[in-house]
């Protein structure tokens, strides 16, 4: 590990300016302003309202009604008894309260709460995906800027080499120092290839900077190379345990499974008795002309019990349907578990491989620099050919690009590993930032609109479930 950190320090010093925009600062901007993440937060709040709506089944409904009616017509079809007149107006307040639903409302609440929690896990998944994209965009710009510098240095070196070879070719010299037209063309070919590679590097960098702007919200300034991401587990065994416990997609599928189990009970509860109480208080009298003294009070109350006996197999079909959906959720849960474990193993190995590649690339770059300098000196004494110098330069540039790619791939693999174990979240990466609390949003939805009768009615409704 000491060797890795030392190699990393050398690499960071080579690639990064002294002061610049850090990865943590970029992630903070993402967390505050990324539209995908902010939109999912709004969606999570919207989904939690289903928990409040489900609880409305335990609460009374109160309405005000006003009716006025006037009708005049024949009393009989033969008009023998003259006409009749209907003339009344009434206004009343009615209230309805479900006293017992055989667990129907209770199971709807269970399902709504589970889906609200699942949406909270979906938000965690979105958050980790957005952070992964942001880290990848950040590292893309760092890599491509470094590659551009490599291509610029390569072209400058090859341009000098072409001038030197051309000068030697034109001037001639001692037999050991003479070069041929083939040497000149060989150097020119490498220079033209370097020009093409430089143009490609500029185009790649422009695309990376545009992607950085789309994900993070600003154009990249001077970026600083991160030392690594916090929260990596010490062993792959612990990483697997963390993934089973906290992988966002796996946790989401668990909550969906809980919701589909509640859906089965919701469908079954439709076969049970429903008890409701309804009351009415108002006044009724003539509509026209209005005479207030003639209005009288109107009071009514009803308690009803409804027990379904047969409904054309509707409820049984809904039960079968709910059971099939629950089986689908069970299979999705198993698929999510397998995918989480696969991600952990894949990304753990990628991080290990990336760290080894960084050390190897650093050694290769140092060796390549020494080799190129030595070949250039020896070329001046006629001890090396043009091909030797060009080959040494090509190897050095390839090693430098490999180094940038390895560092990029390692940090991205670390981000994906953290995402798979549930640690690529704002609370892990941005400890000093105020975090969105999905649990608090759900708790507000569950307690909003509470009524005194809700507690005993809910307890009765949950009995037996």
């Amino acid at each position: 590990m000491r060797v890795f950190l030392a190699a990393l320090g050398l690499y960071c010093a080579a690639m990064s300016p002294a002061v610049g925009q850090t990865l943590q600062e970029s992630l903070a901007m993402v967390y505050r302003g990324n539209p995908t993440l902010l939109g999912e937060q709004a969606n999570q709040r919207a989904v939690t309202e289903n928990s409040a709506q489900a609880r409305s089944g335990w609460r009374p409904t109160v309405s005000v009604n006003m009716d006025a009616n006037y009708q005049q017509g024949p009393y009989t079809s033969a008009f023998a008894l003259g006409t009749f007149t209907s003339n009344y107006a009434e206004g009343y307040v009615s209230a309805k309260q479900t006293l017992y639903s055989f667990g129907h409302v209770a199971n709807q609440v269970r399902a709504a709460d589970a889906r609200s929690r699942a949406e909270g896990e979906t938000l965690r998944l979105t958050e980790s995906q957005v952070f992964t994209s942001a880290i990848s965009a950040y590292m893309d710009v760092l890599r491509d800027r470094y590659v551009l510098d490599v291509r610029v240095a390569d072209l400058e070196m090859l341009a000098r080499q072409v001038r030197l070879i051309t000068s030697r070719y034109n001037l001639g010299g001692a037999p050991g120092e003479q070069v041929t037209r083939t040497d000149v063309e060989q150097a020119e070919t490498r220079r033209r290839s370097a020009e093409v590679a430089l143009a490609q590097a500029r185009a790649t960098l422009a695309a990376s900077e545009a992607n950085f702007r789309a994900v993070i919200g600003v154009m990249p300034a001077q970026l600083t190379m991160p030392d690594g991401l916090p929260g990596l587990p010490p062993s792959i065994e612990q990483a697997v345990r963390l993934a089973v416990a906290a992988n966002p997609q796996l946790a989401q599928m668990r909550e969906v499974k809980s919701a589909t189990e509640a859906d089965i009970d919701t469908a079954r509860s439709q076969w049970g008795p429903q008890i409701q109480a309804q009351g009415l208080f108002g006044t009724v009298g003539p509509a026209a002309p209005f005479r207030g003294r003639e209005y009288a009070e109107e009071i009514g109350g009803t308690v009803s019990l409804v027990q379904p006996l047969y409904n054309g197999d509707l409820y049984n079909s809904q039960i079968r349907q709910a059971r099939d959906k629950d089986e689908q959720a069970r299979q999705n849960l198993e698929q999510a578990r397998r995918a989480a474990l696969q991600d952990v193993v894949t990304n753990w190995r990628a991080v290990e491989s990336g760290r080894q590649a960084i050390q190897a690339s650093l050694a290769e770059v140092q060796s390549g620099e020494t080799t190129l300098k030595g070949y250039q000196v020896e070329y001046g004494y006629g001890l090396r050919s043009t091909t030797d110098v060009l080959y040494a330069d090509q190897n050095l540039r390839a090693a430098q690009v490999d180094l940038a790619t390895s560092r990029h791939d390692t940090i991205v693999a670390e981000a994906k590993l953290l995402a798979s174990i549930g640690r690529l979240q704002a609370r892990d990466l941005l400890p000093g930032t105020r975090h969105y609390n999905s649990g608090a949003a759900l708790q507000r939805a569950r307690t909003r609109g509470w009524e005194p009768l809700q507690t005993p009615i809910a307890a009765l409704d949950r009995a037996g479930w």
Side-chain angles (χ1 to χ4, degrees):
M1 180 58 73
R2 278 189 210 149
V3 175
F4 171 71
L5 292 176
L8 182 59
L10 290 173
Y11 178 65
C12 292
M15 289 187 63
S16 304
V19 180
Q21 179 181 341
T22 66
L23 177 59
Q24 189 177 52
E25 291 170 346
S26 299
L27 294 179
M29 285 188 283
V30 170
Y31 192 65
R32 290 192 301 266
N34 183 269
T36 300
L37 183 55
L38 296 179
E40 187 58 35
Q41 290 175 0
N43 185 59
Q44 188 265 338
R45 294 191 298 272
V47 171
T48 59
E49 291 301 326
N50 292 331
S51 293
Q53 293 166 19
R55 283 169 170 77
S56 67
W58 287 327
R59 299 165 184 166
T61 59
V62 182
S63 60
V64 176
N65 299 271
M66 300 189 70
D67 301 313
N69 178 278
Y70 181 87
Q71 184 176 2
Q72 184 174 2
Y75 194 78
T76 67
S77 59
F79 296 91
L81 299 178
T83 62
F84 79 95
T85 300
S86 174
N87 176 23
Y88 75 91
E90 64 178 344
Y92 59 91
V93 177
S94 65
K96 182 186 293 186
Q97 173 67 62
T98 297
L99 302 178
Y100 182 62
S101 71
F102 194 64
H104 189 70
V105 175
N107 290 308
Q108 286 180 325
V109 168
R110 280 176 54 207
D113 285 354
R115 288 190 169 90
S116 295
R117 292 191 298 270
E119 183 58 32
E121 299 299 336
T122 301
L123 176 59
R124 287 183 61 227
L125 178 61
T126 301
E127 188 173 307
S128 63
Q129 290 172 341
V130 168
F131 280 150
T132 300
S133 298
I135 292 170
S136 180
Y138 188 97
M139 295 305 299
D140 285 351
V141 173
L142 271 176
R143 177 199 61 198
D144 296 340
R145 284 180 174 176
Y146 181 68
V147 170
L148 180 62
D149 291 342
V150 169
R151 298 308 182 194
V152 169
D154 186 31
L155 182 59
E156 290 176 351
M157 194 285 296
L158 289 171
R160 290 194 301 270
Q161 193 69 21
V162 167
R163 289 194 296 270
L164 174 61
I165 294 172
T166 303
S167 176
R168 284 193 172 188
Y169 175 75
N170 292 331
L171 294 176
E177 299 177 357
Q178 289 180 354
V179 297
T180 66
R181 184 64 187 173
T182 301
D183 293 325
V184 175
E185 291 300 330
Q186 189 176 24
E188 282 284 1
T189 299
R190 280 284 293 117
R191 184 184 64 79
R192 295 189 189 98
S193 297
E195 290 176 344
V196 173
L198 177 59
Q200 291 174 342
R202 284 173 175 157
T204 302
L205 176 59
S208 297
E209 289 179 338
N211 183 55
F212 185 101
R213 171 68 177 82
V215 175
I216 296 178
V218 297
M219 288 300 293
Q222 288 185 331
L223 306 184
T224 60
M225 176 61 62
D227 294 333
L229 300 180
L232 290 173
S235 66
I236 190 171
E237 291 78 14
Q238 184 175 350
V240 168
R241 289 194 295 271
L242 289 170
V244 172
N247 179 273
Q249 189 169 14
L250 184 55
Q252 177 199 22
M253 288 297 104
R254 288 196 187 101
E255 295 296 348
V256 171
K257 180 65 169 62
S258 298
T260 57
E261 290 173 355
D263 289 340
I264 296 175
D265 291 337
T266 300
R268 291 174 54 227
S269 67
Q270 295 179 108
W271 279 116
Q274 310 283 320
I275 302 175
Q276 289 186 338
Q278 185 170 357
L280 177 148
F281 176 80
T283 182
V284 61
F290 176 79
R291 292 187 290 271
R293 63 182 180 277
E294 297 184 16
Y295 277 71
E297 289 184 352
E298 184 179 18
I299 300 175
T302 305
V303 176
S304 62
L305 184 150
V306 177
Q307 172 60 60
L309 297 178
Y310 179 72
N311 61 1
D313 203 44
L314 173 63
Y315 293 165
N316 290 334
S317 175
Q318 291 173 340
I319 292 172
R320 295 191 298 270
Q321 183 182 55
R323 285 172 175 164
D324 290 336
K325 290 291 185 180
D326 182 63
E327 174 61 20
Q328 181 189 31
R330 189 181 73 83
Q331 298 298 335
N332 290 342
L333 175 59
E334 174 61 19
Q335 178 61 36
R337 187 188 68 84
R338 296 183 184 185
L341 297 180
Q342 178 187 10
D343 288 344
V344 168
V345 174
T346 300
N347 293 310
W348 181 273
R349 299 306 180 197
V351 171
E352 286 185 332
S353 172
R355 290 175 175 176
Q356 294 171 359
I358 289 174
Q359 296 179 37
S361 295
L362 274 168
E364 189 177 0
V365 167
Q366 293 172 353
S367 174
E369 289 174 344
T370 302
T371 299
L372 179 59
K373 290 178 182 177
Y375 278 22
Q376 287 174 330
V377 172
E378 293 170 0
Y379 179 80
Y381 293 101
L383 301 177
R384 292 290 176 181
S385 66
T386 300
T387 301
D388 291 335
V389 174
L390 297 179
Y391 183 72
D393 173 71
Q394 188 175 16
N395 286 344
L396 172 61
R397 306 312 171 186
Q400 290 172 330
V401 172
D402 287 344
L403 178 59
T405 302
S406 296
R407 184 57 185 146
H408 167 278
D409 294 347
T410 302
I411 294 294
V412 172
E414 288 181 2
K416 292 179 178 179
L417 176 60
L418 290 173
S420 67
I421 63 176
R423 286 188 175 179
L424 197 69
Q425 310 293 147
R427 65 174 180 265
D428 304 306
L429 303 176
L430 306 170
T433 302
R434 183 178 179 182
H435 307 142
Y436 178 83
N437 191 337
S438 60
L442 174 57
Q443 185 60 26
R444 285 193 298 270
R446 294 176 62 179
T447 57
R448 189 178 289 124
W450 180 85
E451 296 290 339
L453 287 176
Q454 177 180 326
T455 301
I457 291 175
L460 177 63
D461 205 34
R462 291 191 178 104
W465 294 93

